[in-house]
Amino acid sequence: MSCFWLSFAIWKRRSWVVAFLFFLLLLLLRPLVRHESLTINPRAKPFHLRQQTTPTRSIAKQGRSGQASVGKGWTFNILFLKTHKTGSSTVQNILFRAAERHNLTVAFPRYSYQFAYPERFSRDFVEDLLPGPTAHFTLLCSHMRLDVGEVRAVLPPPAVFLTILRDPVQTFLSVFHYYQNIVPAFQPLANHSRPLLAFLEATGRYYNAQDASNGLARNPMTFDLGLNMTQEATQSGQWARELETLNQTFQLVMIAEYFDESLLLVRELLGLDMEELVYVRLNIRHKEEEPLAKELVKKIQAWNWLDVQLYRFFQSIFWHKVERYGYVRMKQELVTFRALLQETAGRCLVGEPVGPETVPDELRPWQPRSVTILGYRLRPNLTTDQYRGCFRMVLPELQYHAYLYYRQYRRDMRPLPTP
């Protein structure tokens, strides 16, 4: 009998231990299942969306034999539609580094650095594929005006389509200053004391919608995405259908104001390691402007109303994707990623971006006549491996473009034919 009571006492004591351990386990797991809000709050969603967004994780795992190996073994082709003045040069640099690392076959323009922009993209604008085991191109990320059918002729499925949008006011400001001596609608104002205000107060005097060279002068992101819409079309069902078609075409539309969050979605989509996403902001201009008056902001928004609608539409979809990714997970990974960015910048760079006069020739960005584009200086005494990685991270668009072209074709790029 005493043995029985002894056994019962031991069992009872163990039951308390088990209960205590179970309670402790619940406390530990609670932060993982509790819904927490990010400090990055999305703006109000202006559209009632019938979204059929594809989970990013499933895309990265879709593979077929014969396609390029990216990241952790998934296979697919990649389009990055490089929109103007949205942070796209930084994304392109990340993809160029991935192209080297994973031996991707890049679709380059037949001439110079763009696919005959502002004409719509055509497969005829692409440099010929070299003879060999590669059956097709696996990465396309140079400037173009989108034509989805022609892109698919160059990048067969499965293909991941990416692009990036930026707040339309900031996009237009950057486009206006950067291309002031290039876009016909802006050129007459190059020497004006207040060129932006002068343009917005008399757009009819300067802007000719029939001239494709003025594509960036109004709704530049809409133009890059290949849409030929009028502002009146936003009141019809056609505009909504065009937006939904783009939504079904692009697996991810990044948002420049949430660049790091966007890159984490790219990481999930392409199966890249976090270290492959480290970056510094490229092609940034030196700014000496006063804050914009509210009336001027309203004028820019009214002039670029299609871009405003486009941006709001895809910003809503972006936050839907973040929600599916997981707010808590995103918040935790942002901390890790930003610490990695800070560590990388400290290891690679001497201070903040500087003017082009203090940057070595090989790292000096192209300088338009209207603005100053900043560059970076690398730390001395880097090891060979460190220098290689740091150098590529700060390598400007044109230099990296030319380098990869030579690496792939063993010849220099062709200049644009003279008229």
Side-chain angles (χ1 to χ4, degrees):
M1 184 65 67
S2 60
C3 291
F4 170 80
W5 288 111
L6 179 62
S7 299
F8 178 79
I10 293 172
W11 173 84
K12 188 175 181 181
R13 180 174 296 177
R14 286 181 176 174
S15 67
W16 281 104
V17 172
V18 171
F20 175 77
L21 291 175
F22 182 75
F23 177 75
L24 182 62
L25 182 62
L26 286 177
L27 288 177
L28 293 173
L29 290 177
R30 187 181 178 189
L32 299 179
V33 297
R34 183 178 60 201
H35 178 78
E36 297 182 10
S37 297
L38 281 175
T39 56
I40 43 176
N41 294 320
R43 298 178 182 176
K45 298 181 179 181
F47 290 94
H48 177 68
L49 300 174
R50 295 179 293 102
Q51 298 167 340
Q52 299 179 1
T53 53
T54 308
T56 55
R57 189 171 305 179
S58 64
I59 298 171
K61 293 181 179 178
Q62 294 172 3
R64 298 182 186 178
S65 60
Q67 270 116 18
S69 176
V70 182
K72 298 176 181 178
W74 291 296
T75 52
F76 42 83
N77 307 312
I78 304 168
L79 164 75
F80 174 62
L81 180 65
K82 192 175 185 297
T83 47
H84 286 82
K85 311 314 297 176
T86 59
S88 63
S89 294
T90 304
V91 181
Q92 184 192 57
N93 179 274
I94 292 170
L95 293 175
F96 275 166
R97 283 182 276 146
E100 281 198 84
R101 190 176 297 110
H102 300 287
N103 199 30
L104 305 185
T105 304
V106 182
F108 287 108
R110 190 179 295 276
Y111 299 103
S112 192
Y113 303 93
Q114 302 183 0
F115 290 105
Y117 193 89
E119 295 184 43
R120 286 184 179 275
F121 177 79
S122 167
R123 70 194 78 181
D124 295 331
F125 299 158
V126 182
E127 182 63 273
D128 294 333
L129 187 68
L130 289 174
T134 304
H136 52 76
F137 296 104
T138 50
L139 173 65
L140 195 163
C141 62
S142 300
H143 272 306
M144 69 164 76
R145 186 166 185 233
L146 182 65
D147 184 302
V148 174
E150 289 295 294
V151 169
R152 294 194 189 281
V154 176
L155 295 178
V160 175
F161 280 51
L162 310 171
T163 191
I164 184 169
L165 301 178
R166 182 185 180 192
D167 177 86
V169 172
Q170 296 304 315
T171 300
F172 184 76
L173 275 176
S174 189
V175 165
F176 183 86
H177 291 295
Y178 194 89
Y179 295 105
Q180 194 167 322
N181 291 294
I182 299 173
V183 172
F186 302 155
Q187 286 175 337
L189 298 158
N191 297 318
H192 198 283
S193 59
R194 302 189 69 184
L196 179 62
L197 181 61
F199 175 79
L200 292 171
E201 288 184 342
T203 53
R205 182 189 307 171
Y206 302 108
Y207 176 74
N208 177 9
Q210 305 306 314
D211 185 353
S213 298
N214 281 326
L216 293 178
R218 189 177 194 184
N219 300 305
M221 295 185 292
T222 300
F223 186 80
D224 281 345
L225 282 161
L227 301 179
N228 271 329
M229 307 295 295
T230 62
Q231 188 162 333
E232 292 72 23
T234 62
Q235 308 301 321
S236 70
Q238 182 185 359
W239 175 245
R241 288 192 296 272
E242 292 286 350
L243 292 178
E244 184 57 31
T245 298
L246 288 175
N247 180 31
Q248 297 302 318
T249 300
F250 285 88
Q251 281 84 356
L252 177 63
V253 175
M254 305 170 66
I255 300 297
E257 286 69 30
Y258 300 100
F259 194 78
D260 293 346
E261 293 85 346
S262 296
L263 286 182
L264 290 178
L265 294 180
V266 170
R267 172 177 176 251
E268 178 87 340
L269 191 64
L270 303 184
L272 298 173
D273 294 323
M274 193 174 287
E275 291 76 10
E276 297 182 87
L277 299 175
V278 294
Y279 70 91
V280 296
R281 293 192 179 274
L282 298 178
N283 215 22
I284 56 176
R285 63 187 173 93
H286 178 66
K287 300 178 183 179
E288 295 180 346
E289 306 156 10
E290 297 179 359
L292 288 180
K294 290 184 179 180
E295 288 303 314
L296 189 56
V297 169
K298 290 179 181 179
K299 287 180 182 292
I300 295 174
Q301 290 174 330
W303 179 246
N304 296 278
W305 184 240
L306 293 181
D307 271 8
V308 171
Q309 297 296 309
L310 177 75
Y311 178 79
R312 290 176 179 173
F313 177 82
F314 278 107
Q315 188 186 52
S316 298
I317 293 174
F318 174 82
W319 286 110
H320 180 75
K321 290 180 181 292
V322 170
E323 182 179 8
R324 297 190 67 163
Y325 189 87
Y327 288 119
V328 174
R329 177 189 175 195
M330 177 68 77
K331 187 175 182 179
Q332 292 170 341
E333 292 185 358
L334 280 174
V335 173
T336 302
F337 183 47
R338 286 168 177 165
L340 180 61
L341 292 176
Q342 187 174 1
E343 175 191 340
T344 304
R347 181 177 64 251
C348 290
L349 305 180
V350 177
E352 298 297 317
V354 293
E357 67 280 355
T358 63
V359 177
D361 289 346
E362 63 271 17
L363 295 180
R364 185 176 299 130
W366 180 74
Q367 301 292 316
R369 288 181 294 168
S370 51
V371 294
T372 299
I373 304 300
L374 305 180
Y376 294 91
R377 292 177 296 169
L378 296 179
R379 284 189 177 277
N381 303 321
L382 295 170
T383 68
T384 301
D385 287 342
Q386 287 175 337
Y387 182 82
R388 183 183 296 113
C390 296
F391 181 86
R392 280 162 171 73
M393 186 177 66
V394 302
L395 193 59
E397 174 184 349
L398 301 189
Q399 288 93 315
Y400 212 156
H401 203 285
Y403 165 74
L404 286 182
Y405 182 95
Y406 187 88
R407 180 176 179 265
Q408 185 165 302
Y409 288 100
R410 299 302 175 188
R411 65 172 184 264
D412 292 332
M413 296 174 60
R414 298 187 185 93
L416 285 172
T418 55

